[in-house]
Amino acid sequence: MAVIDVLPSDGKVIDEGPVGCSVDVCCDDFRHLDIGLPPEILRLKDAGYLTQAVAACDRLLEQNPEPSLAACVRAERYRMLETPLHFSVSRDRAIAMIREEWPEFTEEQFDDLIDRKRIDWRFIDGELFVLDNFLDSLRVYPKEVPGLRPDSTDGIALRNQMLREMESQNGLTRVITLKASVSVPGALEGETVRAWLPVAAACRQQSHIEVLDMTSDGSIAPTNASARAASWVSSTDRSFSVTYRYQIDVAYCDIYGGALPSHPCMDAPLPEDTSEDRPHIAFTPYLRQLTEHVVDGLEDPLDRARAIYDYLTQHVDYRYQPPYLLLGSIADDCAHSLRGDCGVMALTFITMCRIAGVPARWQSGLYVAPDSVGPHDWSEFYTPQTGWLNADVSFGSSARRMGEEWRRRHYFGNLDPWRMVANDRFQAELVPTFDGMREDPYDNQMGEASVDGRGCRQREMLRKIELIGLISDLSRTH
């Protein structure tokens, strides 16, 4: 199953960043979000007066403020211009969309969903708008919206069968072949297009990585790159693809039952695995207090990590999120709202583990099931007795939601073989370095492109991931 982002109807490449953006902004500016806007601009932004707030940012930037403040203002300005593109459904339109499936749905029920944080919203120039995929988010919890068509349950039995097999055999191996592609059809003749597509990276789960085919004149980042990708530079090509194969080996051990890995990965944690990585992995006062409460009385690092996992999987509900560039301090916001998606939950687990003295780090790439392929994020943590292990908080939270306690426990210490790991650090640089502003300044799962040094937005690219093969018989690969 392909995951595709669709171009705008005219297929044109927009001149600079979001519509109307004339300020140079780059991915590194987003590292300065926690500097904060001046209070006069922040009040406009929080009240939803985005047009006035953007104009105030322009006036401030004309005064050449201190570099870190200027970076924050550029990033915040960009976020405000992007916000209406994703929070695009008005209150009346949202109610009408629900009534198309659930005619009896009332305005009072809509307001109740807003009050209970079931629908993500923003005020934009005095009017409430909700996230464009709010219906998909509501379907995750069908009991709350009984009149809507529920989320598809296709594939659940197949997934659970695979997990049971993994547990009975103490692990599984799969050989996976994927094809990734990106195109920028709106680029004009003579313009230089650069493209990056994520590929499997060498890590403790993945090995035997082979590039089987790729668009000519491309290059591949080193196998240990933090955001591994194939890349191209061309003034003629507008479409790029790479096909690769890798082996993924996942062991299983029942951490809740007291078992420890038989072959632990004892690679020493790095200093960055225990420190802040602001603005999103930030040791805020609330996260410090929450973590202290969750791990109170626990001295063993494994017990601490498990307590954090238990708290998050039992309290944080899965909700679709806007692009992460629109989010504030991701881990702190999740701890306050108890809402998030896979990456939000992973960052919160990582942050709390680090506060608790447990080294933890990011992993992301794809979830590769036989019937679907899509972006996914999770985490790793380290204890002296286990070495590096995985935790997938969002899958654990989903298991709790579905009443599958065995599966919730599975995803502490274990993953599954339906993965592709491309990234081991949040907000890692691409190789070679991206020019301009990335579509996703934090992660690389679907690919990026730029035209004459200006980063392309989602609506300007066609991106696709195809599953070519997923097999367990290793002899078939040779």
Side-chain angles (χ1 to χ4, degrees):
M1 173 179 170
V3 179
I4 302 176
D5 291 334
V6 181
L7 279 166
S9 58
D10 60 9
K12 297 290 181 61
V13 172
I14 296 168
D15 290 335
E16 298 180 21
V19 177
C21 181
S22 60
V23 173
D24 269 343
V25 61
C26 66
C27 298
D28 196 59
D29 289 338
F30 283 77
R31 296 184 182 275
H32 298 273
L33 285 174
D34 58 351
I35 295 296
L37 287 169
E40 297 82 5
I41 302 178
L42 182 61
R43 285 195 290 269
L44 289 170
K45 177 193 173 188
D46 288 346
Y49 296 112
L50 301 187
T51 303
Q52 294 95 316
V54 168
C57 288
D58 289 339
R59 291 192 294 271
L60 178 56
L61 289 171
E62 290 173 356
Q63 301 169 20
N64 296 316
E66 192 274 331
S68 62
L69 177 59
C72 174
V73 172
R74 287 192 298 267
E76 288 283 13
R77 182 186 187 281
Y78 187 92
R79 280 150 48 94
M80 286 186 275
L81 289 169
E82 279 280 314
T83 295
L85 303 178
H86 301 281
F87 289 87
S88 58
V89 182
S90 68
R91 182 180 187 275
D92 289 345
R93 176 58 185 148
I95 293 172
M97 289 171 67
I98 296 175
R99 285 176 175 168
E100 289 175 6
E101 299 180 29
W102 187 3
E104 299 80 17
F105 184 77
T106 67
E107 293 188 24
E108 290 75 20
Q109 286 174 300
F110 180 84
D111 292 336
D112 181 61
L113 290 172
I114 291 284
D115 291 342
R116 292 190 294 115
K117 300 184 290 187
R118 293 336 192 221
I119 299 176
D120 199 358
W121 58 273
R122 300 287 190 277
F123 273 120
I124 299 174
D125 295 333
E127 184 178 355
L128 184 145
F129 287 86
V130 304
L131 192 60
D132 49 14
N133 63 352
F134 80 100
L135 275 177
D136 294 330
S137 195
L138 287 176
R139 295 186 207 281
V140 175
Y141 292 85
K143 291 182 180 179
E144 298 179 356
V145 283
L148 291 181
R149 292 190 300 271
D151 230 0
S152 171
T153 58
D154 294 345
I156 290 179
L158 187 64
R159 176 206 62 203
N160 286 356
Q161 178 183 350
M162 175 270 295
L163 292 178
R164 291 299 195 189
E165 180 185 359
M166 178 181 168
E167 294 184 1
S168 67
Q169 297 184 17
N170 292 318
L172 286 178
T173 294
R174 293 291 183 266
V175 175
I176 298 175
T177 305
L178 295 170
K179 179 180 180 180
S181 59
V182 59
S183 63
V184 188
L188 301 178
E189 183 179 353
E191 290 182 322
T192 298
V193 175
R194 299 178 72 196
W196 292 256
L197 285 169
V199 295
C203 60
R204 61 187 180 84
Q205 304 110 303
Q206 286 178 177
S207 61
H208 299 84
I209 301 165
E210 303 172 79
V211 175
L212 304 178
D213 186 43
M214 64 185 296
T215 302
S216 61
D217 299 323
S219 62
I220 303 283
T223 57
N224 62 349
S226 287
R228 192 175 189 224
S231 61
W232 298 264
V233 181
S234 179
S235 59
T236 56
D237 288 337
R238 299 296 180 255
S239 298
F240 309 88
S241 67
V242 58
T243 302
Y244 56 93
R245 181 169 61 204
Y246 61 97
Q247 180 173 313
I248 185 160
D249 300 280
V250 289
Y252 173 76
C253 61
D254 182 6
I255 301 296
Y256 279 88
L260 297 179
S262 56
H263 301 287
C265 175
M266 304 303 295
D267 294 347
L270 300 174
E272 64 196 47
D273 299 326
T274 57
S275 61
E276 291 183 288
D277 189 5
R278 303 178 72 91
H280 297 300
I281 301 177
F283 301 170
T284 63
Y286 180 65
L287 277 170
R288 288 181 184 273
Q289 293 177 21
L290 176 63
T291 303
E292 181 180 352
H293 170 73
V294 169
V295 303
D296 184 41
L298 302 175
E299 298 297 330
D300 182 84
L302 182 58
D303 290 340
R304 289 184 161 216
R306 180 165 41 208
I308 293 167
Y309 176 84
D310 285 345
Y311 174 82
L312 294 175
T313 54
Q314 291 167 353
H315 290 85
V316 179
D317 284 340
Y318 187 94
R319 296 289 171 185
Y320 286 88
Q321 298 291 297
Y324 285 8
L325 65 86
L326 297 186
L327 301 181
S329 182
I330 291 177
D332 187 72
D333 286 353
C334 177
H336 278 87
S337 69
L338 299 179
R339 298 289 184 273
D341 66 2
C342 57
V344 169
M345 294 188 203
L347 285 170
T348 308
F349 177 81
I350 290 167
T351 306
M352 292 180 69
C353 279
R354 292 183 183 183
I355 291 172
V358 179
R361 62 194 184 193
W362 174 265
Q363 274 194 340
S364 70
L366 301 171
Y367 184 67
V368 185
D371 59 342
S372 64
V373 178
H376 191 48
D377 314 316
W378 57 95
S379 56
E380 290 186 295
F381 66 95
Y382 178 91
T383 73
Q385 64 267 52
T386 65
W388 287 102
L389 293 175
N390 286 104
D392 192 327
V393 178
S394 69
F395 276 22
S397 173
S398 168
R400 180 262 304 168
R401 181 179 79 239
M402 300 180 72
E404 297 179 346
E405 175 64 10
W406 69 272
R407 185 161 62 90
R408 188 191 73 85
R409 292 187 173 210
H410 174 101
Y411 282 108
F412 178 73
N414 307 284
L415 286 179
D416 52 62
W418 291 355
R419 308 274 165 148
M420 189 281 285
V421 183
N423 311 290
D424 67 9
R425 187 162 59 85
F426 195 66
Q427 204 167 354
E429 293 283 355
L430 295 175
V431 179
T433 303
F434 192 87
D435 49 343
M437 179 66 200
R438 285 161 53 177
E439 163 64 22
D440 182 347
Y442 300 128
D443 208 10
N444 183 39
Q445 296 164 300
M446 291 296 297
E448 298 279 354
S450 69
V451 176
D452 278 356
R454 186 194 59 78
C456 296
R457 307 274 60 79
Q458 173 181 318
R459 54 195 177 275
E460 299 170 315
M461 299 179 283
L462 286 170
R463 300 179 293 180
K464 181 167 61 175
I465 306 290
E466 299 173 84
L467 175 61
I468 306 300
L470 191 161
I471 59 175
S472 56
D473 183 359
L474 303 188
S475 66
R476 291 175 59 188
T477 67
H478 302 291

